[in-house]
Amino acid sequence: MAGDRPNVLIIGGGFAGVFAARRLKRANVSVTLLDRGTSHVFQPLLYQCATGLLSEGDIASPLRHLLRRCRNLRVFLGEASGIDVTAKTVTARRFDGSTFDIDYDYLILAAGARQSYHGNEQFEQFAPGMKTVDDALAIRRKIISSFEIAETLPTPALRKPWLTFVISGGGPTGVEIAGQIRELAIRALSKEFDSMDPAEAQVILVHGGERVLESFHPRLSGKAQKTLDKLGVTTVLGRHVTDVQRDHVITTDKKTKATEQIDTHTVLWTAGVEAVPFAGAVAEATGVTPARGGTIPVGPDLRVAGHENIFVVGDVMSLDKLPGVAEVAMQSGHHAAVLISRVVGGKAKADSPFKYRDLGTAAYISRYHALLESGPLRLSGFLGWLGWGGIHIFFLAGSRNRVWTLASWASTIIGGSRGERAITYGDPETARRPYP
């Protein structure tokens, strides 16, 4: 890469970072993409990895391979830990704990979000979230091992805590994982156990709102609820999970404050997200006050106030109450890259405001049942399922991932089983911590 080109540093290899890097492919800049992992992960399908429908390889693409045609780009493995906006350098930790500095002329912060426990970080030990491949594999281990342990227990009473799965949060991820666990129990595992019936599994979805999937139209939300009821998912509305222990959770009614204990060994957390810790370092260095969840407020052109060369995009930005979804990440990453290309190219309109085009939202409930909402178009059931599948295949990174994902879906529909049920015995908490 030419040494006299402006240096663009992109922090984060998610949707926003990848779309920014691709847009800068032909710009007269040198691009560095820094990520704490080696792969771009398609987070919307993590729950299918967690429930044995897809492998982690189906939803993860190596960043070096994915961006191999970007000749002006280099990829660094590291975790951003500090920033000096005066010197225009970012400090990053290597995998072994040592550090290195990266110079930049333009910075695109696309580091994404992590699971939020709303100040109850102790819950994380027993209630993994759903943001990384490590989370998905840890959840798969909890789910599969619960069925295996239940097989060795002689009575339904002893099996019940192991076959009770509690999900905190009734948004798309919570609804999707609840439906998939129940499908796993009544379909994929139905004829594979001898001492117990996997259909004994009870899936309890705890949500503080008045209905599940509140971001969807009430009619679609109601249809999702009917599908969950038909599957056998127990939905508890108007309550929050307020304590998580190794063998039980406590839920509290929002209005009456009455509490209830649910005995369970498997709790999954999907109730909210927050910005990654590095966002706090950027906020402090730039002198801005973080918004909700530690996100960074930006102007209409996605720049940080007072810092024309720093852009914040995707889940880590705060602008006009935009949702933390893949579409916002892709479009904002692309927009920031366009503005940098214009500045470097000496073109006008280098401060054009970001205009989000809402292409719709989708959520998978169960086989042949999904929701798709785009403007006035509202689909559910089989048509929603077809639309949901088409959207996810289209946005999966790499033809290999598309082919293998389609093959896995087809195999499950035809044969009923799920082949990706291998479990690991590593320490999932290590992946959630900063590099050493």
Side-chain angles (χ1 to χ4, degrees):
M1 295 183 289
D4 57 348
R5 292 179 177 180
N7 296 312
V8 179
L9 172 59
I10 302 172
I11 299 178
F15 289 111
V18 167
F19 269 68
R22 284 175 167 172
R23 178 57 182 81
L24 291 168
K25 180 169 63 175
R26 293 183 176 86
N28 187 31
V29 296
S30 296
V31 183
T32 301
L33 189 147
L34 175 72
D35 195 88
R36 77 187 307 268
T38 59
S39 298
H40 166 75
V41 178
F42 192 77
Q43 289 186 343
L45 289 178
L46 275 172
Y47 71 95
Q48 294 199 4
C49 176
T51 52
L53 187 54
L54 298 175
S55 76
E56 60 273 25
D58 293 336
I59 60 172
S61 298
L63 286 166
R64 295 186 183 280
H65 179 75
L66 191 62
L67 300 172
R68 65 192 182 280
R69 292 188 176 90
C70 300
R71 301 299 183 185
N72 62 341
L73 177 141
R74 59 184 179 178
V75 177
F76 283 165
L77 175 65
E79 181 174 20
S81 58
I83 180 171
D84 186 331
V85 296
T86 302
K88 297 181 182 178
T89 61
V90 166
T91 300
R93 293 192 192 96
R94 296 187 182 91
F95 211 67
D96 65 352
S98 60
T99 62
F100 62 102
D101 292 334
I102 309 172
D103 297 328
Y104 69 85
D105 295 298
Y106 298 94
L107 173 66
I108 300 178
L109 178 59
R114 65 176 184 175
Q115 205 70 59
S116 173
Y117 291 87
H118 309 292
N120 298 294
E121 306 309 317
Q122 70 276 13
F123 292 178
E124 184 179 79
Q125 180 181 1
F126 304 118
M130 184 73 72
K131 300 301 291 182
T132 68
V133 170
D134 295 271
D135 289 333
L137 294 180
I139 289 171
R140 184 195 294 177
R141 178 170 65 246
K142 289 176 74 71
I143 293 171
I144 298 301
S145 63
S146 291
F147 283 103
E148 295 293 344
I149 291 172
E151 172 76 348
T152 67
L153 298 171
T155 67
L158 292 174
R159 292 194 293 265
K160 185 176 180 180
W162 290 101
L163 294 178
T164 298
F165 302 89
V166 177
I167 295 97
S168 176
T173 302
V175 168
E176 288 168 337
I177 191 72
Q180 285 298 289
I181 294 174
R182 187 63 187 158
E183 274 203 335
L184 177 69
I186 64 177
R187 292 190 177 131
L189 303 181
S190 62
K191 298 179 180 179
E192 297 189 6
F193 286 80
D194 300 312
S195 301
M196 63 92 181
D197 181 1
E200 293 178 24
Q202 182 182 21
V203 179
I204 303 174
L205 182 63
V206 181
H207 182 55
E210 297 180 355
R211 58 186 175 92
V212 298
L213 298 175
E214 293 174 296
S215 61
F216 286 81
H217 188 274
R219 181 174 64 84
L220 292 182
S221 177
K223 290 191 175 183
Q225 185 63 68
K226 290 180 180 179
T227 303
L228 290 172
D229 294 342
K230 188 176 180 180
L231 271 176
V233 174
T234 301
T235 306
V236 179
L237 300 175
R239 300 184 74 91
H240 289 299
V241 172
T242 52
D243 192 22
V244 182
Q245 299 296 327
R246 184 181 298 276
D247 57 0
H248 71 271
V249 300
I250 301 295
T251 68
T252 302
D253 188 279
K254 287 176 60 178
K255 296 180 180 179
T256 67
K257 306 303 178 183
T259 62
E260 179 182 353
Q261 177 174 313
I262 302 174
D263 294 332
T264 176
H265 291 284
T266 304
V267 183
L268 308 179
W269 194 272
T270 67
V273 295
E274 63 185 12
V276 297
F278 181 65
V282 173
E284 182 178 357
T286 56
V288 301
T289 302
R292 183 177 180 181
T295 55
I296 299 177
V298 295
D301 58 1
L302 308 184
R303 288 180 168 96
V304 176
H307 299 271
E308 294 294 302
N309 64 333
I310 299 179
F311 296 80
V312 180
V313 297
D315 293 351
V316 75
M317 77 174 181
S318 176
L319 176 67
D320 299 335
K321 298 183 179 180
L322 290 173
V325 296
E327 288 176 8
V328 173
M330 290 184 282
Q331 293 179 34
S332 61
H334 182 271
H335 183 81
V338 167
L339 295 189
I340 292 173
S341 297
R342 289 176 180 173
V343 171
V344 172
K347 297 180 180 179
K349 296 184 178 180
D351 58 351
S352 301
F354 172 60
K355 297 180 180 179
Y356 173 54
R357 294 171 294 279
D358 188 355
L359 302 179
T361 53
Y364 182 98
I365 314 301
S366 67
R367 185 172 59 172
Y368 305 141
H369 292 276
L371 307 181
L372 175 61
E373 182 172 6
S374 180
L377 178 66
R378 300 186 182 105
L379 301 178
S380 59
F382 185 72
L383 290 178
W385 180 74
L386 290 177
W388 169 91
I391 290 172
H392 283 69
I393 289 297
F394 178 79
F395 284 112
L396 264 173
S399 57
R400 175 194 176 278
N401 294 62
R402 297 188 184 104
V403 170
W404 283 107
T405 296
L406 280 172
S408 296
W409 287 349
S411 175
T412 300
I413 290 172
I414 295 171
S417 184
R418 301 187 179 211
E420 302 297 338
R421 282 186 263 157
I423 62 175
T424 60
Y425 298 92
D427 175 15
E429 294 184 8
T430 300
R432 302 192 192 110
R433 303 183 189 125
Y435 280 176

